[in-house]
Amino acid sequence: MKNKSAVFILVSSIIINILVKGSLKSLGIFLLELKNQGIETSEAAWIPAIAFTCFSLFSSPVAWCREKTSSRLLSVLGGLMVSVGFLISYLLYLPILYTGLGVLLGVGGCMATISGSLEINRVFQGSRLGTAHGLSLAGSTAGGLLVPVLVAYLIFTWGYRGAVLLQAAILLHTIPASLFYR
């Protein structure tokens, strides 16, 4: 039974990495569309800077919080934050974009993905640990290849506002994936 749960945890981590890190890597496509919406490129360029900075800065505090709570709770909260970040980005107001696509995507993404890495550390040992982390991080690469294409298609089909609403809905799929964590 432990092997089955370990596989579910690994697959969940891969799915979350595809969705969250793929969304982080697709911010450039959203920046192009924000330019078309009348937002200056020099102002919009702060959005990915804020997101990646928050993602990096909060990795240690998230690991500390994981010791006090559970990976499941942190990942569910992170998934909600990421989804709400895209949801509020429907409003094309720069401070909201900084908050939604910057802070919420960065902090929530960190909470969701770091929790998965810590869960992998908990359930895998020995040589399987490295393989599990490699597969989990392959999800990040797959997300970086697939999600920007999806985002470009959503923007082309639905426009900016439709794309961020649909991306918010897609990112809600991190929540059921998180439920396999402890």
Side-chain angles (χ1 to χ4, degrees):
M1 187 66 174
K2 187 169 173 97
N3 282 339
K4 236 184 218 184
S5 66
V7 170
F8 284 130
I9 288 169
L10 178 58
V11 170
S12 296
S13 179
I14 292 169
I15 290 168
I16 290 170
N17 276 332
I18 288 171
L19 294 174
V20 173
K21 290 188 177 175
S23 296
L24 276 166
K25 293 174 183 176
S26 68
L27 285 176
I29 295 170
F30 281 112
L31 293 183
L32 291 173
E33 186 57 28
L34 289 174
K35 183 179 178 184
N36 294 338
Q37 299 292 325
I39 294 178
E40 292 293 323
T41 306
S42 60
E43 294 172 330
W46 282 98
I47 296 169
I50 292 168
F52 283 104
T53 300
C54 287
F55 191 94
S56 298
L57 283 177
F58 282 91
S59 58
S60 293
V62 166
W64 179 83
C65 288
R66 163 48 179 78
E67 292 177 8
K68 306 296 180 197
T69 62
S70 69
S71 293
R72 179 184 297 165
L73 176 65
L74 285 174
S75 190
V76 166
L77 289 175
L80 281 172
M81 287 174 70
V82 168
S83 184
V84 168
F86 273 91
L87 186 65
I88 66 172
S89 297
Y90 178 85
L91 305 169
L92 286 166
Y93 182 56
L94 207 51
I96 290 176
L97 292 171
Y98 290 155
T99 304
L101 295 179
V103 175
L104 291 176
L105 179 58
V107 175
C110 179
M111 289 171 68
T113 58
I114 297 295
S115 298
S117 294
L118 295 173
E119 268 306 287
I120 288 172
N121 285 342
R122 184 182 66 80
V123 298
F124 289 95
Q125 287 94 30
S127 63
R128 292 183 182 213
L129 178 63
T131 303
H133 275 297
L135 290 171
S136 176
L137 292 176
S140 172
T141 303
L145 292 170
L146 299 173
V147 176
V149 173
L150 172 67
V151 166
Y153 174 76
L154 292 176
I155 290 173
F156 178 76
T157 307
W158 298 95
Y160 171 80
R161 289 195 161 120
V164 293
L165 292 178
L166 289 168
Q167 187 68 13
I170 291 167
L171 284 165
L172 282 175
H173 288 82
T174 59
I175 295 171
S178 300
L179 297 179
F180 288 104
Y181 296 163
R182 181 181 67 128

